[in-house]
Amino acid sequence: MLRHAKEVMGTVVSFAVANADDLALLAAPIAELHRLDRLFSTYRPDSDISRLDRGELTVDQCDPLVAEVLAHCREVAAESNGWFTYRPGGRLDPSGWVKGWAVERASTLLTSAGFPDHTVTGGGDVQARGHSTPGRPWRVGVADPQHSDQLVAILSADHDFAVATSGTTERGAHILDPHTGRPASGLLSLTVIGPTLARTDAYATAGFAMGPRRALPWLTSLPGYEALAVLPNGTRLGTPGLARYLAPA
């Protein structure tokens, strides 16, 4: 098992690759993450997304991936009735899509290189593919937002799956209610399970902004997605199909 962690895109991206021991196979995925950071980081004044936000570039003058990302952001915004936004506080910031999408792209490069059994984790969000060992699925722990050294659940599946958690544990109240401009406060955390990380992560962001009353029915209506919510009082709620992903401790 090859395990490696790299600081990139303002977080730590971790790789676990079954049946591998050569660090060189991570060169292409890591290079792709750095490339996407150069394009989309809102902290880099020279990134395409920063220059687009300042009006120094048009979308057509940016890398073609910028138009692709913005199109996906508009799709999720429409699907979530505006609860997902790529202009929080009025500033162009598609991070709610880009972070999960970048990790998913790194995972796809590993699969294309002939290593289909792996996990790629970025900022706590995970793309899991294949198995850790023959017949043994990957297991993904979900941190308890009230007790950082504990888990609220362990998730697993006998197929490719993605896990994304939005909450206040790591970055504080950073997700805004796009309708009021104030930090969303109805949840401590919302974990979404889906097939691939880009959309799973975006749905977790939108659902967290919605709060539990809207988020759980909405996520239940999306085929292939399940969710686990932790409320401010510690209550845990799940969508009807969540149980099939819950693994024993």
Side-chain angles (χ1 to χ4, degrees), residues 141-152:
V142 179
D144 185 334
Q146 296 177 304
H147 306 282
S148 59
D149 59 340
Q150 299 179 27
L151 300 176
V152 294

Side-chain angles (χ1 to χ4, degrees), residues 187-204:
L187 289 161
L188 284 184
S189 70
L190 178 68
T191 298
V192 179
I193 308 102
T196 53
L197 190 53
R199 236 174 185 78
T200 300
D201 192 19
Y203 287 166

Side-chain angles (χ1 to χ4, degrees), residues 20-73:
D21 56 13
D22 185 359
L23 195 60
L25 72 92
L26 299 180
I30 290 172
E32 177 69 356
L33 293 171
H34 281 295
R35 182 173 80 98
L36 297 177
D37 188 45
R38 289 192 296 271
L39 289 175
F40 292 102
S41 173
T42 59
Y43 298 99
R44 298 175 65 127
D46 60 341
S47 70
D48 278 21
I49 210 71
S50 293
R51 296 184 66 198
L52 178 63
D53 188 38
R54 294 195 302 267
E56 297 172 6
L57 296 175
T58 66
V59 172
D60 289 342
Q61 291 171 328
C62 293
D63 187 284
L65 287 177
V66 172
E68 178 182 328
V69 161
L70 295 181
H72 285 304
C73 287

Side-chain angles (χ1 to χ4, degrees), residues 1-7 12-17 23 26 30 119 121:
M1 178 77 71
L2 173 64
R3 297 186 182 274
H4 183 67
K6 182 73 174 180
E7 290 188 15
V12 175
V13 177
S14 301
F15 300 85
V17 188
L23 195 60
L26 299 180
I30 290 172
T119 63
T121 304

Side-chain angles (χ1 to χ4, degrees), residues 165-229:
T165 298
S166 288
T168 60
T169 303
E170 291 191 6
R171 296 175 57 194
H174 67 286
I175 298 175
L176 302 181
D177 178 334
H179 302 292
T180 66
R182 296 191 296 270
S185 59
L187 289 161
L188 284 184
S189 70
L190 178 68
T191 298
V192 179
I193 308 102
T196 53
L197 190 53
R199 236 174 185 78
T200 300
D201 192 19
Y203 287 166
T205 300
F208 189 88
M210 290 179 187
R213 184 173 62 84
R214 293 184 179 91
L216 292 176
W218 176 63
L219 288 162
T220 298
S221 74
L222 300 175
Y225 293 87
E226 303 295 343
L228 169 63

